[in-house]
Amino acid sequence: MASEDVKAASDSAVEKIVNLAEEAKLAREEIKPTSHAVLSICKSLVAGGVAGGVSRTAVAPLERLKILLQVQNPHNIKYNGTIQGLKYIWRTEGFKGLFKGNGTNCARIVPNSAVKFFSYEQASKGILYLYRQQTGIEDAQLTPLLRLGAGACAGIIAMSATYPMDMVRGRLTVQTENSPYQYRGMFHALSTVLREEGPRALYKGWTPSVIGVIPYVGLNFAVYESLKDWLVKTKPFGLVDNSELGVVTRLACGAAAGTVGQTVAYPLDVIRRRMQMVGWSHAASIVTGDGRSKAPLEYTGMIDAFRKTVKYEGVRALYKGLVPNSVKVVPSISIAFVAYEQVKDLLGVEIRISD
């Protein structure tokens, strides 16, 4: 009887050990994919941040000229064209003037780009899952319209998360050597706006930004991904080798995507930038030409800004700075997409989200 009790106790102990071993194995298996997922998220964010920083620095002079043209007073015009404007900045402010505000822009665009690319991937996966559940087709792919929706979600999330930095970047950018300085840098600008205008001022122009980012970012991703898929499937002109697109081809896809998106959304970008100047004590002097003529800069909202801009300057004013922006956006979007994919390739992260 005693031997049977010992045997039963021994079997029970062995069973417990086996169960503990199984539980430990399951725990390791659960931890592994979780760690892998965290690492994948970090790599995706890094790739997006690098893409944003590289692309914006490459076109920083054109970005600054675009903003200066957007807020320039029509009664005190110093330059009209892209080349003329760049020459003027070089002559009056030197090489540093071409990159004024780029540090703040990169401080904004790096997290913005990281969140945008990551949000697009996650939104695409979620939308694709719901689409497959609804249609019952397990191998269904994202349509251009669904990509547009995913891109719009990504744009809204990224823009909202970093909007205060974009707002102060706009104000820093329009300051010149001859205008009264109020902001010494990004953090000084943020603290000054908070102190003098309140927290809500950091989101001036947010509404037209949200409306504009839907077609802009949405079309960027939709056109880029759809063009890539079309090229891989049809293989026209020998552009595709073994279902892989070369860097030049991807740059072309990014250029097409950027051109379509910015053309549709540009008027909203002009209105956003003008609304960001409202409430700044030195804005009128800077915008109207280094203090030579004072002009009121007051808008009650987005519709009022549209109305006053068109009434006093004409419809063409909604496209001020479009030329340098077009010259800028093609390489900027192209470089951003290609840099993102190249960095993710180097980090060993799968980049296809529609498979």
Side-chain angles (χ1 to χ4, degrees), residues 165-283:
M165 298 175 72
D166 179 69
M167 189 269 190
V168 299
R169 192 263 303 200
R171 293 194 177 187
L172 284 168
T173 299
V174 302
Q175 294 181 141
T176 67
E177 296 293 339
N178 299 322
S179 60
Y181 274 83
Q182 185 174 1
Y183 306 127
R184 296 189 296 269
M186 181 180 66
F187 293 108
H188 179 247
L190 284 169
S191 61
T192 302
V193 172
L194 278 172
R195 184 177 66 255
E196 296 184 356
E197 302 174 48
R200 291 183 62 183
L202 294 175
Y203 282 88
K204 284 180 177 177
W206 182 83
T207 301
S209 296
V210 169
I211 298 172
V213 83
I214 292 173
Y216 180 63
V217 179
L219 285 170
N220 279 346
F221 280 108
V223 173
Y224 181 74
E225 293 290 344
S226 298
L227 267 178
K228 281 175 56 184
D229 281 354
W230 178 76
L231 289 171
V232 169
K233 291 175 182 177
T234 59
K235 297 181 173 60
F237 314 116
L239 294 174
V240 182
D241 182 27
N242 297 325
S243 297
E244 289 292 332
L245 298 180
V247 172
V248 175
T249 305
R250 281 185 282 173
L251 280 170
C253 290
T259 300
V260 173
Q262 68 97 26
T263 302
V264 173
Y266 193 78
L268 287 158
D269 188 56
V270 173
I271 297 303
R272 169 187 66 146
R273 198 62 67 188
R274 292 190 169 202
M275 291 179 68
Q276 288 176 346
M277 301 299 128
V278 176
W280 181 16
S281 59
H282 289 307

Side-chain angles (χ1 to χ4, degrees), residues 61-223:
L62 291 166
E63 175 71 12
R64 186 182 183 217
L65 177 61
K66 178 202 76 170
I67 295 175
L68 289 173
L69 285 169
Q70 285 179 335
V71 300
Q72 188 175 220
N73 189 318
H75 304 297
N76 194 357
I77 295 175
K78 297 179 179 178
Y79 40 80
N80 285 311
T82 303
I83 302 301
Q84 185 184 10
L86 291 173
K87 285 182 177 178
Y88 179 85
I89 295 172
W90 177 274
R91 186 173 66 253
T92 57
E93 301 181 61
F95 179 78
K96 288 178 65 176
L98 295 172
F99 289 87
K100 184 170 287 183
N102 186 56
T104 306
N105 196 21
C106 285
R108 175 192 69 90
I109 202 63
V110 167
N112 178 281
S113 184
V115 173
K116 180 172 66 179
F117 277 102
F118 176 71
S119 298
Y120 175 73
E121 290 191 353
Q122 299 307 308
S124 296
K125 290 176 182 177
I127 290 173
L128 181 58
Y129 173 78
L130 293 174
Y131 181 60
R132 287 174 174 174
Q133 291 290 314
Q134 186 178 12
T135 60
I137 305 173
E138 292 185 0
D139 59 348
Q141 303 299 312
L142 286 173
T143 64
L145 184 60
L146 293 177
R147 288 194 179 105
L148 177 65
C153 290
I156 292 172
I157 292 170
M159 183 275 296
S160 298
T162 59
Y163 191 81
M165 298 175 72
D166 179 69
M167 189 269 190
V168 299
R169 192 263 303 200
R171 293 194 177 187
L172 284 168
T173 299
V174 302
Q175 294 181 141
T176 67
E177 296 293 339
N178 299 322
S179 60
Y181 274 83
Q182 185 174 1
Y183 306 127
R184 296 189 296 269
M186 181 180 66
F187 293 108
H188 179 247
L190 284 169
S191 61
T192 302
V193 172
L194 278 172
R195 184 177 66 255
E196 296 184 356
E197 302 174 48
R200 291 183 62 183
L202 294 175
Y203 282 88
K204 284 180 177 177
W206 182 83
T207 301
S209 296
V210 169
I211 298 172
V213 83
I214 292 173
Y216 180 63
V217 179
L219 285 170
N220 279 346
F221 280 108
V223 173

Side-chain angles (χ1 to χ4, degrees), residues 306-319:
F306 264 110
R307 184 180 62 81
K308 287 181 178 176
T309 299
V310 174
K311 179 180 179 180
Y312 296 116
E313 301 175 55
V315 176
R316 292 182 62 183
L318 296 175
Y319 289 90

